Amino acid sequence: MLEEKNDNLLEADGNLENHSIETPLVEENAEIVSETIAEVEKETVLTPEVSVEDTIEMAKPIEEESTEVAEAKASETETIIDAIAENNAEESEDETLKERHDIPMLDYDALSLESLVDELKKLVTNEKVMSVKDHVEEIKKSFLAKYNHLLEEKKEEFLAENPDTTEEFAYHSPLKSHFDQYYSLFRDNKNAHFKSLQTNLKTNLENRLAIVEELKELINPQENIKDTLKHFNDLRERWKNAGSIPKDKYNHVWNNYHFHVENFYDYLHLDREARDLDFKHNLEQKQKIVARVEELVNEADVNKAFRELQDLHKIWKEDIGPVSREFRDEIWNKFSDLTKQMHDKREVLFEKMRGTELENLEKKKEIIAKIEVLATEKVNAHSQWLQQIEKVEALRTAFFSAGKVPAELNEETWATFKTAVRNFNSFKNSFYKDIKKDQNNNLNRKTALVAKAKELQESTDFATTTPIMKQIQEEWKQIGHVPRKYSDKIWIEFKDACNHYFDKLKEQKNEENSEEIEAFDKKKAYLETLREFQLTGVHKTDLDAIKLHIETWKGFGKVPFTRRHIEGKFNKVLDALFEKLSLSKKDSEMMRFSNRMDQLSESNDTRKLEGEKIFLMRKIDEIKNEIFQLENNIQFFTNTRNAKKENSIVLEVRKNIEKHKEEMEILKDKLRQVRSLNQS
């Protein structure tokens, strides 16, 4: 076909080359046209509805294949070429669709929710809207599937924790908000793009149809040939710059345009030399395309090669005119055969990919089977369930990372996976429902302790209340977990009540400690003066003085527990004074004992007083037994022949009996004194 061309065809070595054909249909070459235009063979030129096979002259060989195999092969090749033509028509409508080939389609099923949102943001903000259309829809599909699955899990957990609630389940995620934000931006951009595109497509279609109508009118024997040629070249230039049209109109409009161009070409009856020159150039261009396709058949990146093949088909169809009839079938058949080879190679790649997808399917089935096993393994401890949950999470991650499965099995695999995870969650939740009952019981027990602690927190009877508060705290420790939503609240209430009481106890002790420290200082100073005390030698006077010192010492009060050693020092000084005073053993011991018991009574040390009482009772029983044994021994000696004469052994035994009786009387006096202190 005689057109000016700037084809940017790929050379056989893969490099781009600009080809510019000098057409004979220009005014400067008009001399080659005969001055007299032959009669027009056809007065009226029809505009038939022409298919791709009709207008691409090489699409249909002159001679039909005679065998069924050949017919099937030709049909398959035509189907492949039709598919390429359809795709080119779509890209011709919107040039941005070409750019999507350069943006890799990731395995979005393997990405996390966070990564999907990040990927969506990157595509929507950095790429043209139609070049990422398929990518965004795949992201949307993966995101919603995973997010809906997450919602189901959260709802099951909510219902498990609140079986009797009337509250409506609600779950909000910042990730979903971010996803909605970026997807809305994509949708707005797409709508704006389509609105602009539709307006342009409509205008461009009207312009191209007008060009076709003008081509029809060029066949006019009354018009000057020079003017006709100039008009024809103008129409071709306008056609080249007319822009995109709707893909459903693409083939029909293009076929009509080329039909009328060829009619005009035939109408002119150009000389054979000029026509053959154009045929030769077109043949060279198509031979270069064939050579490039031969290289593409051996290209390692099959998808990239096939995309270039689509572009070459578009150039063959739109930019290069016809060749002479003798080469027409040959060059087209070669191009068609290479196209089929490329398609077959691509199908092999798809089969290999399908094999990988089937392997991924088996991996996912194994993962699902493991989750199903975990959904039947009964464990009875929270720590064990945490391990089970961790295993399922690892299997979930492995599932999403396993890669794509065959498209026709994707929904089924996903549904099976969701069912397995849902069954595990139901199994897990049934365990926690039982725990929930125990936690509610624990909540009731702890609530009762809180009430008790609040009731006692203002008490000033510290001696009675402190042991009770400590017992409450021990009980609290023994009670297990409560429902999580009540845990913090009830603990704060209990802690505040206990802290309030023990803070008051601490304040009271601080006040007491100041008094005790003051008593210690007084006793320390008094002890120094007592060391210098000298007896007068008058027994009664000295005894009264010692008793006065004891009363004065008691009057100072209690000392801090950590400084009670000063009481021992005071007792040592008293012992020395009693020895000098030459009191009877009983009087001396009773005064010392009385002083020591008074000290225990003042310190409110009931434990030591009780211990002293038990010690005295045991000691009295021991002495009683000793006396009984000694008296039995004497009786043995008095029944013998020498009973009238008591020997030294008998006399010694009688002395021991008297000694034990005296000691027992002292112990009984001490016991009476201790009992009187306990009663007071």
Side-chain angles (χ1 to χ4, degrees), residues 462 501-519 558-560:
F462 298 111
Y501 172 79
F502 284 106
D503 286 344
K504 287 180 62 178
L505 177 62
K506 186 177 179 181
E507 290 175 6
Q508 187 266 346
K509 283 189 174 182
N510 288 338
E511 293 175 2
E512 291 180 353
N513 286 343
S514 63
E515 295 175 359
E516 290 176 355
I517 291 173
E518 183 181 356
K558 291 192 300 182
V559 299

Side-chain angles (χ1 to χ4, degrees), residues 255-483:
N255 291 335
N256 278 328
Y257 169 74
H258 280 273
F259 176 84
H260 292 294
V261 166
E262 289 181 0
N263 268 348
F264 179 75
Y265 187 94
D266 293 338
Y267 165 73
L268 292 178
H269 294 286
L270 298 179
D271 65 289
R272 184 177 299 276
E273 182 180 353
R275 185 165 183 166
D276 288 347
L277 183 64
D278 195 47
F279 281 161
K280 180 182 178 183
H281 174 77
N282 294 340
L283 179 62
E284 290 173 354
Q285 298 299 95
K286 292 186 176 182
Q287 286 172 339
K288 288 181 180 181
I289 289 179
V290 169
R292 178 55 185 160
V293 177
E294 287 175 340
E295 291 180 353
L296 292 178
V297 170
N298 300 315
E299 174 69 44
D301 189 341
V302 178
N303 286 325
K304 179 180 177 183
F306 196 81
R307 289 196 296 271
E308 186 175 334
L309 176 65
Q310 290 178 229
D311 293 337
L312 293 176
H313 266 270
K314 190 172 183 180
I315 293 171
W316 184 292
K317 177 179 179 180
E318 296 187 15
D319 296 341
I320 302 176
V323 300
S324 62
R325 188 172 295 276
E326 60 181 306
F327 298 112
R328 197 168 291 176
D329 292 341
E330 178 187 351
I331 192 70
W332 170 249
N333 289 337
K334 193 168 186 179
F335 184 47
S336 299
D337 289 343
L338 288 170
T339 297
K340 186 176 184 304
Q341 289 180 40
M342 178 67 71
H343 178 270
D344 292 343
K345 189 175 179 181
R346 187 164 175 249
E347 286 299 308
V348 170
L349 176 63
F350 286 161
E351 283 300 316
K352 184 177 179 181
M353 291 173 60
R354 181 171 177 79
T356 302
E357 290 176 350
L358 289 173
E359 291 177 4
N360 296 340
L361 177 63
E362 290 304 314
K363 290 179 184 177
K364 290 192 173 184
K365 284 182 177 179
E366 291 176 5
I367 292 169
I368 292 170
K370 291 178 180 179
I371 296 175
E372 288 173 343
V373 170
L374 289 174
T376 60
E377 290 182 355
K378 190 172 182 179
V379 293
N380 298 313
H382 173 63
S383 58
Q384 293 175 324
W385 271 111
L386 290 179
Q387 294 176 4
Q388 297 291 88
I389 292 169
E390 188 175 339
K391 290 178 185 177
V392 171
E393 285 302 314
L395 290 171
R396 279 167 55 100
T397 302
F399 181 88
F400 291 129
S401 303
K404 291 184 176 181
V405 301
E408 66 273 15
L409 298 173
N410 187 54
E411 291 296 330
E412 178 184 346
T413 306
W414 173 245
T416 307
F417 170 73
K418 285 199 301 181
T419 301
V421 174
R422 187 181 298 113
N423 290 341
F424 172 80
N425 288 332
S426 298
F427 189 51
K428 173 196 67 176
N429 291 339
S430 65
F431 167 78
Y432 283 104
K433 282 180 182 177
D434 294 336
I435 288 183
K436 193 76 172 178
K437 295 178 183 176
D438 294 336
Q439 289 184 345
N440 286 330
N441 291 334
N442 294 339
L443 176 62
N444 294 333
R445 293 171 63 190
K446 286 192 173 183
T447 301
L449 291 181
V450 169
K452 194 171 183 180
K454 287 183 175 180
E455 180 183 340
L456 295 174
Q457 67 180 353
E458 299 295 342
S459 174
T460 56
D461 185 1
F462 298 111
T464 304
T465 307
T466 300
I468 298 174
M469 291 296 285
K470 289 181 178 179
Q471 180 62 31
I472 288 174
Q473 290 180 323
E474 286 300 317
E475 288 182 29
W476 182 279
K477 293 177 183 177
Q478 300 304 318
I479 300 174
H481 295 288
V482 302

Side-chain angles (χ1 to χ4, degrees), residues 21-22 68-69 93 121 161 262 493 540 662 678:
I21 301 175
E22 293 185 3
E68 293 182 1
V69 175
E93 179 183 61
K121 177 183 178 182
E161 292 183 0
E262 289 181 0
E493 290 182 13
K540 187 176 185 312
E662 289 178 6
N678 282 337

Side-chain angles (χ1 to χ4, degrees), residues 420-638:
V421 174
R422 187 181 298 113
N423 290 341
F424 172 80
N425 288 332
S426 298
F427 189 51
K428 173 196 67 176
N429 291 339
S430 65
F431 167 78
Y432 283 104
K433 282 180 182 177
D434 294 336
I435 288 183
K436 193 76 172 178
K437 295 178 183 176
D438 294 336
Q439 289 184 345
N440 286 330
N441 291 334
N442 294 339
L443 176 62
N444 294 333
R445 293 171 63 190
K446 286 192 173 183
T447 301
L449 291 181
V450 169
K452 194 171 183 180
K454 287 183 175 180
E455 180 183 340
L456 295 174
Q457 67 180 353
E458 299 295 342
S459 174
T460 56
D461 185 1
F462 298 111
T464 304
T465 307
T466 300
I468 298 174
M469 291 296 285
K470 289 181 178 179
Q471 180 62 31
I472 288 174
Q473 290 180 323
E474 286 300 317
E475 288 182 29
W476 182 279
K477 293 177 183 177
Q478 300 304 318
I479 300 174
H481 295 288
V482 302
R484 185 169 49 189
K485 65 179 179 179
Y486 301 112
S487 178
D488 291 342
K489 177 178 179 292
I490 195 170
W491 165 245
I492 291 172
E493 290 182 13
F494 180 71
K495 183 179 67 172
D496 289 347
C498 291
N499 287 347
H500 181 79
Y501 172 79
F502 284 106
D503 286 344
K504 287 180 62 178
L505 177 62
K506 186 177 179 181
E507 290 175 6
Q508 187 266 346
K509 283 189 174 182
N510 288 338
E511 293 175 2
E512 291 180 353
N513 286 343
S514 63
E515 295 175 359
E516 290 176 355
I517 291 173
E518 183 181 356
F520 173 78
D521 292 338
K522 289 179 180 179
K523 286 186 175 183
K524 184 178 180 183
Y526 191 76
L527 187 61
E528 294 301 321
T529 61
L530 189 59
R531 291 181 193 279
E532 299 174 1
F533 173 72
Q534 297 294 326
L535 296 175
T536 63
V538 179
H539 184 81
K540 187 176 185 312
T541 303
D542 290 337
L543 182 59
D544 290 341
I546 291 172
K547 289 181 177 179
L548 181 60
H549 284 309
I550 292 173
E551 292 302 321
T552 303
W553 183 269
K554 291 179 180 178
F556 291 141
K558 291 192 300 182
V559 299
F561 181 81
T562 56
R563 302 185 182 187
R564 291 185 62 186
H565 60 276
I566 199 169
E567 301 292 346
K569 293 180 179 181
F570 177 69
N571 290 333
K572 286 183 180 180
V573 173
L574 287 182
D575 289 344
L577 291 175
F578 285 139
E579 286 179 7
K580 291 178 182 180
L581 192 58
S582 300
L583 285 174
S584 67
K585 181 181 179 183
K586 180 179 180 181
D587 292 339
S588 175
E589 189 169 343
M590 287 304 298
M591 288 187 70
R592 292 191 190 97
F593 181 78
S594 179
N595 179 59
R596 189 160 62 86
M597 290 302 101
D598 287 342
Q599 290 173 359
L600 292 177
S601 178
E602 288 175 3
S603 63
N604 200 24
D605 198 339
T606 55
R607 185 177 62 82
K608 285 191 176 182
L609 284 171
E610 186 65 23
E612 190 69 30
K613 183 178 75 171
I614 294 171
F615 171 77
L616 290 171
M617 292 170 67
R618 188 182 298 121
K619 197 69 176 172
I620 290 171
D621 288 339
E622 290 176 0
I623 292 175
K624 280 182 179 180
N625 290 334
E626 284 289 330
I627 293 172
F628 178 76
Q629 185 64 41
L630 289 172
E631 287 178 343
N632 282 342
N633 291 341
I634 289 176
Q635 192 141 14
F636 171 77
F637 282 107
T638 57

